[in-house]
């Protein structure tokens, strides 16, 4: 077995049966990083104590106390805090910032003695869908280095796809786990809002943000999700572990699982033919596996993008207020306090972050608040109700993950073009429901181009990640 290309499940077996040591495993992945990181720009930092972490994990295994992730090499998105380590959110504002506490999700993995390889590149403060908004260069797609890896968790998705880690943490506010997972041919889960504590995740849109796993298989994804989920007293929106009770029929009864397809949303403009074809093939595959497919209507799903691009910048503008040149990170000298704020924020934030702060401040300003923010909140409620209704008739809702495969670096010149890439993903954040992106094969855009991965998305009702895992495993032929 090639140990440089393992899944978590395979690695667990090899470690537990002592066929390999944690050190051997970790050294393979460090070698993969050394071979490819320069070209792909995945890790902003590879930690210097990886071998020490490996030694500690080995001790636990030798003492017979191994848990599912003990000794497993993982990567972490650069907006999730680990005490004493740098966390920059790929922003010049936090270039040298050192975390003063550890995110709960990370702590749970540290408690299992997982090995953290390093922190991964992303769009600045998670705002974007290609990592082109990183202050430290774009992450390249492992299938075609002239293309983007997706974003904002592009580094985490590429780390898994190119065997630099066996799994990774990302964050998803409007698609940032699922979109890069689909562009890189891996599995990405945006869990139910509140299922994973946000303590230690740098806030972007607080009513939308969630930490989630990226992995090669659905089985691995479930392992990481189970390790990080649960109630945390540091995040009042977090949900207790015991609340996650599956209401879906078990897989022995595949025929009873109903998959809803909102065919009407596929007729929107801007969805590439490759995506449509790939999605049709995926629906056929679901049918062959024995699932019942139902055509459903979600009349307001097409408003999600507009709602997202009101609510998200409103929350961004208030969350970004803390970076004032005094409390955290960058602080530039100036004549007076106001100029310190202006200079630090003007130079510390990149264009996209500044654009969203301005947009959000405008949306929340008196006179416009009702016209934009209040209205968006009303439509959000309508969309939430529409999904609740839909889940009375079907177990999951099936769509493509993205309207196109990975685009060429620099190809999208206007912000709006980038925003449209989120058309299928933002809805799950608006509704707070879980959604998973599954790799669904490869497409060739033209004869002289490389094959590019595509993904499909399954959404389910609140706290019902279980059904996503069940169907996902069937779809990807996992046992
Ligand atoms: N691409 C979306 C945006 O730019 C989503 C970002 C995210 O999920 N963090 O806002």
């Amino acid at each position: 077995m090639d140990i440089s290309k393992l899944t978590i499940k395979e690695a667990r077996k090899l470690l537990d049966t002592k066929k390999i040591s944690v050190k051997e495993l970790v050294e393979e992945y460090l070698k993969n990083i050394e071979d490819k990181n320069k070209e792909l720009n995945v890790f902003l930092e590879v930690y210097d104590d990886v071998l020490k972490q490996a030694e500690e994990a080995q001790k636990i295994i030798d003492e017979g106390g191994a848990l599912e992730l003990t000794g497993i090499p993982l990567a972490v998105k650069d907006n999730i805090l680990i005490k004493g380590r740098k966390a920059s959110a790929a922003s010049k504002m936090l270039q040298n910032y050192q975390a003063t506490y550890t995110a709960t999700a990370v702590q749970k993995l540290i408690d299992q003695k997982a090995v953290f390889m390093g922190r991964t590149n992303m769009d600045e403060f998670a705002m974007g869908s290609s990592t082109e908004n990183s202050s430290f260069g774009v992450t390249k797609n492992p299938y075609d280095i002239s293309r983007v890896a997706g974003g904002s968790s592009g580094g985490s998705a590429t780390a898994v796809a190119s065997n630099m880690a066996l799994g990774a943490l990302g964050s998803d506010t409007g698609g940032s786990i699922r979109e890069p997972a689909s562009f890189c041919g891996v599995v990405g889960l945006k869990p139910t809002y509140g299922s994973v504590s946000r303590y230690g995740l740098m806030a972007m849109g607080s009513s939308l943000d969630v930490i989630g796993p990226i992995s090669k298989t659905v089985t691995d994804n479930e392992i990481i999700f189970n390790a990080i989920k649960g109630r945390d007293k540091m995040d009042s929106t977090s949900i207790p572990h015991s609340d996650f009770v599956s209401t879906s029929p078990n897989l022995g009864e595949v025929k009873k699982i109903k998959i809803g397809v909102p065919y009407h949303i596929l007729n929107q403009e801007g969805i590439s033919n490759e995506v449509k074809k790939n999605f049709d093939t995926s629906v056929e595959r679901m049918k062959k596996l024995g699932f019942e497919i139902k055509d459903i209507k979600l009349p307001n799903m097409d408003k999600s993008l507009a709602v997202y691009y009101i609510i998200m910048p409103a929350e961004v503008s208030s969350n970004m207020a803390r970076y004032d040149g005094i409390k955290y990170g960058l602080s530039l000298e100036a004549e007076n306090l106001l100029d310190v704020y202006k200079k630090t924020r003007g130079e510390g934030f990149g264009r996209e972050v500044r654009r969203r702060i301005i947009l959000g401040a405008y949306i929340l300003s008196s006179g416009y608040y009702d016209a934009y923010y209040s209205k968006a909140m009303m439509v959000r409620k309508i969309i939430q109700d529409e999904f609740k209704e839909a889940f009375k008739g079907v177990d999951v809702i099936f769509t493509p993950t993205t309207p196109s495969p990975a685009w060429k670096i620099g190809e999208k010149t206007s912000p709006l073009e980038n925003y449209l890439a989120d058309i299928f993903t933002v809805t799950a954040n608006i509704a707070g429901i879980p959604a998973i992106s599954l790799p669904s094969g490869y497409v060739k855009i033209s004869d002289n181009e490389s094959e590019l991965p595509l993904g499909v998305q399954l959404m389910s009702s609140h706290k019902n990640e279980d059904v996503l895992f069940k169907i996902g495993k069937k779809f990807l032929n996992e046992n």
Side-chain angles (χ1 to χ4, degrees):
M1 189 179 277
D2 181 357
I3 72 160
S4 69
K5 293 192 179 93
L6 295 174
T7 65
I8 293 177
K9 193 177 158 195
E10 289 163 349
R12 176 81 274 129
K13 222 175 174 176
L14 295 176
L15 290 172
D16 287 348
T17 52
K18 304 278 165 81
K19 297 239 162 58
I20 54 169
S21 67
V22 183
K23 185 163 178 267
E24 281 167 331
L25 180 65
V26 159
E27 276 172 347
E28 277 296 321
Y29 287 80
L30 282 174
K31 195 172 156 289
N32 289 344
I33 294 173
E34 206 175 295
D35 288 348
K36 291 182 253 179
N37 195 41
K38 260 217 179 77
E39 180 170 62
L40 299 176
N41 196 25
V42 172
F43 282 96
L44 294 177
E45 179 187 353
V46 178
Y47 297 138
D48 57 12
D49 64 344
V50 171
L51 291 175
K52 192 167 152 262
Q53 293 180 57
E55 234 172 74
E56 284 169 20
Q58 188 64 51
K59 225 174 115 210
I60 304 287
I61 296 173
D62 293 343
E63 286 164 2
L67 297 167
E68 275 186 299
L69 291 163
T70 309
I72 301 294
L74 301 178
V76 61
K77 188 177 179 178
D78 196 28
N79 59 348
I80 304 175
L81 307 185
I82 310 181
K83 189 175 173 174
R85 298 193 194 271
K86 278 189 186 173
S88 78
S91 178
K92 276 196 269 169
M93 185 64 92
L94 295 177
Q95 189 160 9
N96 296 310
Y97 174 72
Q98 262 196 11
T100 52
Y101 63 95
T102 297
T104 302
V106 169
Q107 190 56 53
K108 290 186 174 198
L109 299 171
I110 292 177
D111 291 346
Q112 289 209 17
K113 285 272 179 285
V115 175
F116 285 89
M117 305 297 279
R119 55 189 174 96
T120 57
N121 198 15
M122 56 185 281
D123 287 291
E124 183 177 9
F125 285 106
M127 299 177 206
S129 35
S130 61
T131 78
E132 288 169 295
N133 298 335
S134 166
S135 303
F136 309 116
V138 60
T139 297
K140 312 231 169 81
N141 191 296
Y143 287 86
D144 175 353
I145 58 165
S146 71
R147 290 179 186 269
V148 300
S152 62
S153 316
S156 284
T158 309
V160 175
S162 55
N163 295 299
M164 299 181 178
L166 294 186
L169 292 186
S171 69
D172 193 310
T173 305
S176 278
I177 288 176
R178 291 159 285 159
E179 190 243 21
S182 115
F183 283 5
C184 295
V186 292
V187 179
L189 172 75
K190 173 242 174 278
T192 304
Y193 178 76
S195 62
V196 180
S197 169
R198 284 178 294 120
Y199 182 66
L201 167 67
M202 290 182 204
M204 176 181 162
S206 304
S207 77
L208 306 156
D209 296 341
V210 62
I211 294 176
I214 297 174
S215 59
K216 277 190 205 157
T217 64
V218 176
T219 308
D220 287 0
N221 210 283
E222 190 175 14
I223 291 173
I224 302 176
F225 176 64
N226 283 335
I228 60 176
K229 74 179 181 191
R231 170 84 190 152
D232 175 17
K233 67 175 188 317
M234 303 308 283
D235 175 2
S236 62
T237 60
S238 59
I239 304 168
H241 224 117
S242 54
D243 263 28
F244 288 80
V245 186
S246 175
T247 49
S248 54
N250 63 45
L251 264 195
E253 305 169 85
V254 161
K255 281 204 184 73
K256 290 196 185 145
I257 294 189
K258 292 196 189 73
I259 298 181
V261 180
Y263 283 104
H264 62 99
I265 64 153
L266 290 164
N267 300 327
Q268 296 177 99
E269 239 179 89
I271 301 163
S272 83
N273 283 333
E274 290 92 12
V275 166
K276 285 186 188 168
K277 240 192 262 156
N278 180 274
F279 183 66
D280 284 344
T281 315
S282 305
V283 171
E284 282 313 308
R285 179 162 168 67
M286 288 294 192
K287 276 188 198 157
K288 272 202 206 107
L289 288 168
F291 297 108
E292 186 186 329
I293 305 290
K294 250 181 105 175
D295 185 359
I296 58 162
K297 298 270 174 297
L298 292 159
N300 287 295
M301 188 173 165
D302 62 348
K303 318 280 189 304
S304 299
L305 199 65
V307 169
Y308 174 78
Y309 276 96
I310 298 281
I311 294 175
M312 177 274 297
E315 295 184 5
V316 159
S317 76
S318 70
N319 276 326
M320 292 296 125
R322 75 194 65 179
Y323 306 105
D324 58 4
I326 308 289
K327 294 193 203 82
Y328 301 97
L330 187 72
S331 182
L332 297 176
E333 269 178 49
E335 291 270 296
N336 56 49
L337 187 61
L338 187 63
D339 285 346
V340 170
Y341 294 156
K342 281 190 189 162
K343 207 167 161 196
T344 306
R345 288 169 68 82
E347 290 179 31
F349 288 137
R351 280 177 74 85
E352 185 59 26
V353 175
R354 276 181 284 144
R355 178 180 295 116
R356 293 186 194 204
I357 293 172
I358 294 168
L359 205 61
Y362 177 79
I363 288 163
L364 293 174
S365 61
S366 82
Y368 293 105
Y369 185 96
D370 284 336
Y372 295 114
Y373 188 73
S374 302
K375 201 160 198 183
M377 290 303 276
M378 279 189 249
V379 182
R380 181 178 197 174
K381 180 77 179 49
I382 293 171
I383 293 169
Q384 283 168 342
D385 290 345
E386 209 165 272
F387 271 79
K388 245 188 225 152
E389 229 5 76
F391 287 123
K392 286 184 187 156
V394 294
D395 295 283
V396 292
I397 294 169
F398 196 34
T399 70
T401 307
T402 57
S404 75
W407 56 86
K408 291 256 186 209
I409 294 169
E411 178 185 327
K412 295 204 189 225
T413 46
S414 85
L416 203 62
E417 277 180 88
N418 275 289
Y419 301 168
L420 288 170
D422 306 329
I423 186 163
F424 296 122
T425 48
V426 291
T427 319
N429 303 74
I430 294 292
I433 56 177
I436 197 166
S437 178
L438 305 168
S440 58
Y442 299 86
V443 290
K444 239 180 184 319
I445 303 217
S446 63
D447 285 346
N448 48 6
E449 300 243 27
S450 351
E451 291 210 306
L452 299 173
L454 272 178
V456 287
Q457 170 180 247
L458 285 170
M459 295 179 268
S460 69
S461 56
H462 285 100
K463 296 177 275 185
N464 201 355
E465 277 77 358
D466 192 56
V467 71
L468 303 181
F469 294 138
K470 278 179 182 162
I471 303 175
K473 282 180 205 166
K474 272 263 168 190
F475 187 75
L476 294 182
N477 250 332
E478 294 174 30
N479 302 312

